[in-house]
């Protein structure tokens, strides 16, 4: 349901509201070409972006997001990690400018790709554009309609970053932005080796320790994405509905409706 309709249902006892995490809100960097092929440029963007500003601007209410640095949301208790958090959500414009200087940034246009029909991503793009302009970058928002967005996203020449709501996964090595076959073009062999080591672990404790190391490496060095937080969607039923479950969409197998 639309986020702007949420207050129509809150405080009304005739409705039941079901909310769930729909994914992580991430800035995905193009690691194959362009400005963000340079890790220093990625770190500059990471240092400048303000998660609260971006997510509030995108969703208009803090009911629909949670600021979070762990790649695995807090619901995934076995995998939740604060490793690397010191290099996340810094909102430090001077640090960001220093990274630009180290990268030798020369005013080349920084390109943000968004699908024109996704109002959340379009709103976020405007805010990120302003934040990056504040550190001296030239920034362009490129919009693509639904018929061309996927081809744009898979073309390394078309953008520097795009936004994604990555779906929740059961184990961290399934995070799509760690894959070499997905848009954003992760190519860091250290990431692939670490994923292999996690997958071959013989205990959850061993795997979690290795995952902490990999998440720290991603935030502090490789930076395939900048995660701003987790985001939520919701649905509503009447108060006469029982047994309804909302998990990756409505589950109505055991649902009943009373008179």
């Amino acid at each position: 349901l639309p986020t702007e309709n949420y207050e129509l249902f809150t405080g009304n006892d005739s409705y039941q509201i079901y909310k769930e995490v729909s994914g992580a809100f991430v800035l995905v960097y193009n690691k194959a070409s362009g400005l963000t092929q340079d890790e220093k440029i990625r770190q500059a963007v990471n240092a400048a972006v303000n998660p609260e500003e971006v997510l509030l601007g995108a969703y208009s209410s803090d009911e629909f997001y949670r600021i979070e640095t762990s790649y695995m949301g807090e619901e995934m208790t076995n995998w939740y990690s604060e490793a690397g958090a010191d290099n996340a959500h810094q909102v430090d414009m001077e640090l960001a400018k220093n990274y630009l200087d180290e990268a030798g940034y020369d005013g080349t246009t920084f390109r943000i790709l968004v699908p024109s029909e996704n109002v959340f991503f379009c709103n976020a793009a405007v805010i990120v554009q302003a934040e990056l302009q504040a550190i001296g970058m030239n920034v362009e928002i490129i919009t693509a309609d639904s018929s061309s967005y996927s081809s744009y996203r898979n073309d390394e020449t078309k953008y520097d970053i795009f936004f994604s709501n990555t779906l929740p996964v059961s184990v961290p090595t399934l995070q799509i932005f760690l894959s070499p076959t997905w848009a954003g073009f992760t190519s860091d062999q250290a990431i692939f080796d670490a994923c292999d080591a996690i997958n071959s672990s013989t205990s959850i404790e061993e795997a979690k320790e290795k995952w902490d190391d990999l998440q720290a490496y991603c935030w502090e060095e490789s930076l395939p994405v900048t995660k701003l937080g987790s985001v939520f969607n919701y649905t509503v039923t009447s108060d006469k509905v029982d047994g309804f479950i909302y998990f990756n969409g409505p589950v109505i197998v055991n649902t009943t409706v009373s008179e």
Side-chain angles (χ1 to χ4, degrees):
L1 292 172
T3 57
E4 58 267 25
N5 291 348
Y6 185 72
E7 291 187 359
L8 297 176
F9 305 107
T10 57
N12 188 329
D13 292 339
S14 62
Y15 295 109
Q16 300 177 88
I17 299 174
Y18 303 82
K19 287 173 62 178
E20 70 164 356
V21 174
S22 60
F25 194 105
V26 295
L27 280 66
V28 183
Y29 300 100
N30 177 355
K31 280 81 68 182
S33 68
L35 285 171
T36 48
Q37 188 177 23
D38 186 336
E39 178 263 333
K40 295 296 185 184
I41 296 292
R42 301 200 297 272
Q43 291 289 358
V45 176
N46 182 65
V49 169
N50 184 323
E52 187 70 44
E53 285 185 355
V54 175
L55 292 177
L56 183 59
Y59 290 92
S60 302
S61 169
D62 60 10
E63 290 282 354
F64 299 104
Y65 65 86
R66 176 179 68 223
I67 304 298
E68 192 169 51
T69 63
S70 176
Y71 285 177
M72 300 292 283
E74 66 180 35
E75 294 79 9
M76 304 300 294
T77 55
N78 284 340
W79 297 108
Y80 182 83
S81 175
E82 295 184 358
D86 287 347
N87 201 55
H89 304 174
Q90 298 167 94
V91 197
D92 187 332
M93 296 308 192
E94 291 306 312
L95 177 61
K97 291 175 183 178
N98 289 340
Y99 278 125
L100 288 183
D101 289 342
E102 290 177 20
Y105 176 67
D106 60 2
T108 299
T109 299
F110 184 92
R111 301 158 299 166
I112 304 173
L113 175 65
V114 293
S116 57
E117 71 279 5
N118 189 314
V119 65
F120 305 120
F121 292 168
C122 289
N123 289 344
V126 172
I127 296 167
V128 172
Q129 179 185 45
E131 291 172 343
L132 298 185
Q133 287 172 335
I135 62 171
M137 300 186 78
N138 295 317
V139 185
E140 175 186 8
I141 297 173
I142 299 172
T143 58
D145 61 27
S146 57
S147 64
S148 57
Y149 178 73
S150 292
S151 63
Y152 268 56
R153 197 180 65 175
N154 291 324
D155 184 341
E156 67 183 54
T157 69
K158 296 292 190 183
Y159 65 91
D160 294 297
I161 65 168
F162 68 91
F163 302 104
S164 183
N165 288 149
T166 56
L167 295 175
V169 294
S170 57
V171 293
T173 54
L174 294 178
Q175 293 285 1
I176 194 168
F177 51 78
L178 301 179
S179 169
T181 61
W182 191 58
F185 318 107
T186 296
S187 58
D188 188 335
Q189 189 60 46
I191 289 177
F192 306 149
D193 291 344
C195 286
D196 289 342
I198 293 167
N199 291 336
S200 62
S201 296
T202 57
S203 69
I204 186 64
E205 292 79 15
E206 177 189 356
K208 175 56 164 56
E209 184 176 347
K210 292 177 179 178
W211 170 241
D212 286 341
D213 291 341
L214 176 54
Q215 182 176 287
Y217 173 73
C218 286
W219 272 117
E220 295 167 1
E221 298 184 52
S222 189
L223 205 63
V225 299
T226 289
K227 178 179 178 179
L228 302 185
S230 291
V231 292
F232 301 84
N233 56 21
Y234 76 102
T235 195
V236 174
T237 70
S238 82
D239 62 346
K240 300 182 184 300
V241 173
D242 292 312
F244 180 86
I245 297 173
Y246 195 52
F247 179 72
N248 290 332
V251 180
I252 61 173
V253 174
N254 296 311
T255 300
T256 60
V257 180
S258 59
E259 294 294 334

